[in-house]
Amino acid sequence: MRFSAVVPLWQLITVVAFTTCILLANIARLTLRIRSICQPIVNRQVERGVATVLLIQRIQHPILDIIFTSASVVVSVEFYTAFLPLLLWSGRCKLAIQMTLLMALCIYIGTFLKDLVSGSRPSAPPVRRFAATAIEKEACIEFGFPSSHAINTICLSVHLARHLDSTHIYVLWIAGFLLAITTAIVIYGRMYLGMHTPIDIIAGVIFGVILVTFWCFVDDRVNLFIEEGKNVFIFWTIICLLLLAAYPAPEKQTPSFEYHNAFVGVILGMVWGLRIGNYHYIRSALTIVHLNSWSGALVLVKRLVVGLPVVIAVKMITKLLAVTSLPWICLHIGLPVKSTTYVPALKGMIPVDTTEVDLELKKNSDSEKLLIDLKEINVEAPKYGDDVEGTKYGDDQKLPMATSEIDLERAEPLGPKNLNFWLKFFSLSLMEPLDVDTGIRLLQYAGLSWSAVGVSYIFKHFKI
């Protein structure tokens, strides 16, 4: 059997080219070079745009605060995780798949550019920044350029308008008008709430128009590839992992990468669900629901009642399995990991490579502790008589440490001689510990998306 029959040549070229670009960008430190050029320009335009924001904020009212805050939720991750399954369960399978892929692309491009440029938001004060919800408070931590709300709203509205189908012309006009009004409210509201200046909005609209125009040319081809293409499962998984690897390191820690990571998991789970299951069976199981009758609305309500608990349960179970297994797997293949949220034992700690360090067990009445030879991990041993955590140690004694962990305050980073094969293979220089939260978040959202597709078997069984 020819290799090209199993792996199409265009897939191989895509993966090799993508990987090469990532390596070259790391070698050339492309992120820092682009940021050094773009960031000063963007920040100057943001300072000039403050006057426009202050002009808009002259008219303030509690009702306007509620309207614009509510409108900003329309293109949040929480909105998509509810809207896209609803679109799928209403029987619009093709539209749901295309919308999910498009929104994932928009979120990736938006967050990628934010962290690449690391442009500031308008200063508050003098700008009044209104962040009443937890979503908006998280958004304040992100960088400002470009406005991801503008990108997402433009793409969402145009793509939905393109797929409106109705025999009544006035229905199409009303739907188009509502989409246009929603887009205007969201975009204007970003400046009213003090989150963006005109430069962010203009850039967001431009990128949104470019993305949705591009998507209109390729959406059917991408959909056909997912349905009937070769090697879809492996190719899509590799591309998603490369997207995570290609993400630029921001100037400071922001939640932008988490949003992108969640949606990479969503599209990964959706493709897994469609390929593992039979796409045509799933499409036939999810019969189209027409909401212009009580019977149609009742069918959709039944699907929501059955489907939502299943999706939530699968997400929770996937998260639990990932939290339990991922750190263990990484440690046993020699990858250093850390955690900022999901695994408290790994917060602020670097796991020690147990194949390189002499470990001895010492039992006491409380628990078992690992004894690590300080000379082999570049930590200076305390002199005899020094008091370390209330205990006396001699020159030939060893310092008890937490199991398989070393406190960052007491140890220097592991030198190149301690890098095992995996670290040397995956990094051109000293590799920082991997954040295991990335894998956990990826898997839990993949489980959520996979279950949203797979629940169609339950709908078919219950005939709803």
Side-chain angles (χ1 to χ4, degrees):
M1 181 181 293
R2 294 175 60 187
F3 180 76
S4 59
V6 179
V7 181
L9 183 60
W10 70 269
Q11 293 184 11
L12 183 63
I13 293 174
T14 301
V15 172
V16 171
F18 204 166
T19 305
T20 303
C21 289
I22 294 173
L23 292 175
L24 292 177
N26 285 334
I27 294 172
R29 301 175 68 85
L30 199 58
T31 296
L32 296 178
R33 294 177 185 273
I34 294 175
R35 183 178 298 153
S36 64
I37 297 172
C38 297
Q39 189 185 62
I41 299 174
V42 170
N43 288 344
R44 282 197 299 268
Q45 293 299 322
V46 169
E47 291 176 3
R48 293 175 183 175
V50 168
T52 305
V53 177
L54 292 174
L55 183 63
I56 291 173
Q57 291 185 339
R58 284 184 179 180
I59 303 174
Q60 298 180 12
H61 195 277
I63 295 178
L64 293 177
D65 293 345
I66 294 173
I67 292 174
F68 291 127
T69 300
S70 302
S72 66
V73 178
V74 172
V75 285
S76 64
V77 173
E78 290 75 12
F79 166 76
Y80 292 134
T81 53
F83 171 71
L84 295 174
L86 182 64
L87 197 62
L88 179 67
W89 296 343
S90 66
R92 278 75 178 178
C93 294
K94 182 178 179 180
L95 179 59
I97 294 169
Q98 292 180 356
M99 285 295 301
T100 303
L101 294 173
L102 176 59
M103 291 301 102
L105 177 63
C106 291
I107 289 174
Y108 182 80
I109 296 298
T111 56
F112 184 98
L113 292 172
K114 280 178 182 289
D115 285 349
L116 176 64
V117 178
S118 297
S120 61
R121 290 189 182 272
S123 301
V127 169
R128 184 197 72 144
R129 186 167 295 157
F130 188 81
T133 63
I135 297 173
E136 288 295 275
K137 289 176 181 178
E138 274 200 343
C140 292
I141 306 174
E142 292 185 286
F143 294 106
F145 179 90
S147 170
S148 54
H149 278 73
I151 296 175
N152 298 345
T153 308
I154 291 290
C155 292
L156 177 69
S157 300
V158 172
H159 200 264
L160 281 178
R162 183 168 172 258
H163 286 81
L164 287 176
D165 54 344
S166 177
T167 56
H168 303 287
I169 189 66
Y170 67 87
V171 173
L172 296 177
W173 278 103
I174 292 174
F177 176 75
L178 291 176
L179 287 173
I181 289 295
T182 302
T183 302
I185 290 174
V186 171
I187 291 176
Y188 181 83
R190 301 314 292 164
M191 290 187 288
Y192 175 89
L193 297 174
M195 303 297 290
H196 291 288
T197 55
I199 183 64
D200 304 328
I201 300 298
I202 293 170
V205 171
I206 292 173
F207 282 116
V209 171
I210 293 172
L211 283 175
V212 76
T213 303
F214 164 77
W215 190 250
C216 288
F217 285 102
V218 302
D219 55 355
D220 288 333
R221 296 179 183 179
V222 173
N223 196 80
L224 183 63
F225 169 67
I226 294 175
E227 292 178 29
E228 303 175 2
K230 294 181 180 179
N231 202 39
V232 177
F233 187 90
I234 297 176
F235 175 74
W236 207 268
T237 303
I238 293 173
I239 290 297
C240 287
L241 294 178
L242 288 175
L243 286 174
L244 293 176
Y247 196 85
E251 196 173 63
K252 65 176 182 179
Q253 192 66 31
T254 70
S256 297
F257 179 74
E258 297 178 8
Y259 302 149
H260 149 65
N261 187 20
F263 258 85
V264 169
V266 166
I267 62 174
L268 196 60
M270 183 191 66
V271 173
W272 286 352
L274 292 171
R275 295 301 297 186
I276 293 175
N278 187 296
Y279 174 80
H280 298 289
Y281 175 86
I282 292 171
R283 193 166 182 175
S284 64
L286 294 171
T287 54
I288 295 178
V289 175
H290 297 285
L291 299 178
N292 55 0
S293 64
W294 282 106
S295 59
L298 184 60
V299 169
L300 185 58
V301 170
K302 288 180 180 178
R303 289 180 179 179
L304 288 173
V305 171
V306 173
L308 286 178
V310 172
V311 168
I312 295 172
V314 171
K315 181 186 176 185
M316 293 175 63
I317 293 171
T318 306
K319 178 182 176 181
L320 179 62
L321 292 174
V323 169
T324 305
S325 61
L326 268 184
W328 183 87
I329 293 172
C330 290
L331 288 173
H332 280 75
I333 64 176
L335 288 177
V337 292
K338 64 180 179 180
S339 174
T340 55
T341 305
Y342 296 119
V343 188
L346 294 178
K347 289 184 180 180
M349 311 294 277
I350 300 179
V352 174
D353 184 0
T354 56
T355 62
E356 299 286 344
V357 182
D358 180 23
L359 300 176
E360 297 179 10
L361 288 175
K362 178 182 179 181
K363 294 188 176 182
N364 54 32
S365 58
D366 298 327
S367 61
E368 293 184 356
K369 294 184 178 180
L370 290 178
L371 298 179
I372 304 176
D373 190 345
L374 299 179
K375 295 181 181 178
E376 293 200 23
I377 57 172
N378 302 329
V379 180
E380 183 179 357
K383 303 294 183 180
Y384 181 82
D386 288 349
D387 193 349
V388 181
E389 295 186 5
T391 308
K392 301 285 186 179
Y393 294 93
D395 291 332
D396 58 344
Q397 288 181 297
K398 298 171 183 179
L399 180 65
M401 307 291 285
T403 303
S404 73
E405 294 175 350
I406 174 169
D407 195 333
L408 284 172
E409 295 181 357
R410 297 179 184 169
E412 299 175 1
L414 296 178
K417 65 179 182 180
N418 292 323
L419 296 177
N420 59 22
F421 170 78
W422 287 101
L423 300 190
K424 292 176 182 177
F425 180 78
F426 282 113
S427 179
L428 298 175
S429 59
L430 183 63
M431 183 178 177
E432 294 183 358
L434 301 175
D435 193 344
V436 75
D437 294 352
T438 300
I440 295 171
R441 190 175 292 107
L442 180 76
L443 290 176
Q444 67 171 321
Y445 278 93
L448 180 148
S449 183
W450 173 82
S451 61
V453 174
V455 78
S456 58
Y457 289 92
I458 300 177
F459 295 159
K460 188 81 170 180
H461 177 75
F462 288 105
K463 298 180 180 180
I464 57 176

